[in-house]
Amino acid sequence: MFSELVVAYLFLGGTGAGTCAVTAVLGLAADGEEMRRAAAVRFRDDDGRLYGEFFGTALIWAIGALVLGMICLMADVGRPDRLLLLAAAGPTSYLAVGAWALCGCLLLAGVLVLAWRGLVPASLLYLRALCGLLLAAAAITAAYTGLLLADMASVPLWHSPWLPPLFVVSSLSCGVALVQMSASFGRAATAFRATLRVLIRVDGLLIVAEAAVLAAWLASVWAGAGAGLSAGALTATDQAALASALLLLEGSCAPLFWLGLVGVGLAVPLVADVVMMRGAAGGRSYTLSALSFRSALLGSAFCVLVGGVCLRAAVVAAAVLPTVAASL
């Protein structure tokens, strides 16, 4: 029903979309006068090249994630022409809208890479407009997979209003992580250190939000099935929902859930974010060196991405196994 390739697509597509969204927001929030001056010389002076390195590199990583995700999906489908037919069919379903949004993300990100790198002329207004359009396309791309799964009433673990926001928050968190990683391997880690500090705070908030939405999602699934149990009329759907929840909490999917998602994906990066925020605040008692800051940033980002993979793998596995068993 859902293979590892689909899980990879869900992760890569969400991460790529989240990275596009985060980069677009940062582009909209950047200092207008500095961007105008850099754009006037096509980002070819010292400051302009730093802009190109920070924004352009992040978007290249986002494009790579989106393209890899599409390759995984095409490999799983087995016939790429089906995806082309879907894209040409028009916006008539979540899947079609998502396909168009994904194509829009790739196109807009590619144009912005050319602009940030100074390969094409760009004004401040042009950059702002592209960032706004990219943000809209990325938001749709990040949301549509959760909406698509939540629309499947036959799979009770997915049929919840909490699943789409869970996927969106996870995608944004993974997007922040990918921006942090892309900036950590060049001069941008120093030049945009203030921006990275803001992203650390944002990442901490996203992790807390993801944990809250995750708890609300599981509680809604459990409460929905428990209503049938308390009424003494447990349906096959209720049984599948309880089986899925138990698989996540104490069954075969528990290591993915507790160790991969909750432990590595949420707890460890949250602690790392607190440590980095304390170090960034400075003071005599505690200050992170540039090397320690970069190492902590990379480690936290890596853990967030691991958590993103585990979330999607656990959500798919815990939903599919009871559904398949019930159909046998």
Side-chain angles (χ1 to χ4, degrees):
M1 185 178 178
F2 281 83
S3 68
E4 291 83 359
L5 288 171
V6 173
V7 173
Y9 164 70
L10 293 174
F11 167 69
L12 291 167
T15 299
T19 306
C20 287
V22 172
T23 308
V25 170
L26 291 176
L28 291 170
D31 184 88
E33 287 304 315
E34 290 185 4
M35 283 180 59
R36 184 179 285 109
R37 287 195 298 269
V41 294
R42 293 178 63 168
F43 299 98
R44 290 178 180 173
D45 61 355
D46 289 339
D47 292 337
R49 279 191 288 269
L50 288 173
Y51 270 97
E53 183 175 330
F54 181 79
F55 288 99
T57 303
L59 286 173
I60 289 172
W61 284 42
I63 291 171
L66 291 172
V67 170
L68 284 175
M70 293 179 68
I71 291 173
C72 290
L73 184 60
M74 287 188 291
D76 182 76
V77 171
R79 287 182 54 187
D81 59 298
R82 292 179 180 174
L83 298 179
L84 296 176
L85 289 173
L86 175 64
T92 57
S93 67
Y94 288 134
L95 202 55
V97 170
W100 280 97
L102 183 57
C103 293
C105 266
L106 285 170
L107 176 62
L108 291 165
V111 173
L112 272 168
V113 168
L114 296 177
W116 288 119
R117 294 292 190 179
L119 299 176
V120 296
S123 65
L124 175 62
L125 180 61
Y126 180 70
L127 288 170
R128 298 284 205 215
L130 285 176
C131 286
L133 291 172
L134 179 60
L135 178 59
I140 296 172
T141 304
Y144 94 91
T145 50
L147 291 169
L148 177 67
L149 296 182
D151 196 46
M152 297 183 183
S154 60
V155 185
L157 186 66
W158 296 343
H159 194 54
S160 166
W162 291 103
L163 189 63
L166 177 61
F167 271 42
V168 170
V169 174
S170 175
S171 295
L172 290 174
S173 183
C174 289
V176 169
L178 205 61
V179 170
Q180 291 173 331
M181 291 187 76
S182 69
S184 296
F185 293 104
R187 297 179 302 160
T190 301
F192 286 86
R193 183 158 180 166
T195 301
L196 292 175
R197 289 172 180 169
V198 173
L199 286 180
I200 290 169
R201 294 184 176 89
V202 171
D203 185 55
L205 293 175
L206 287 172
I207 289 172
V208 172
E210 184 176 349
V213 176
L214 181 67
W217 168 61
L218 285 175
S220 69
V221 172
W222 192 271
L229 181 63
S230 61
L234 197 63
T235 65
T237 300
D238 295 333
Q239 292 175 2
L242 289 174
S244 293
L246 289 173
L247 273 175
L248 280 176
L249 297 176
E250 59 185 34
S252 59
C253 298
L256 272 177
F257 181 81
W258 291 112
L259 295 179
L261 173 56
V262 177
V264 176
L266 297 178
V268 172
L270 183 59
V271 171
D273 287 344
V274 171
V275 170
M276 286 187 287
M277 283 189 286
R278 285 187 59 200
R284 294 181 179 179
S285 60
Y286 185 77
T287 304
L288 281 178
S289 67
L291 180 60
S292 298
F293 177 81
R294 185 173 303 194
S295 300
L297 196 66
L298 282 171
S300 174
F302 177 77
C303 288
V304 168
L305 294 176
V306 170
V309 174
C310 291
L311 169 65
R312 287 153 181 84
V315 166
V316 169
V320 169
L321 291 177
T323 303
V324 171
S327 65
L328 295 177

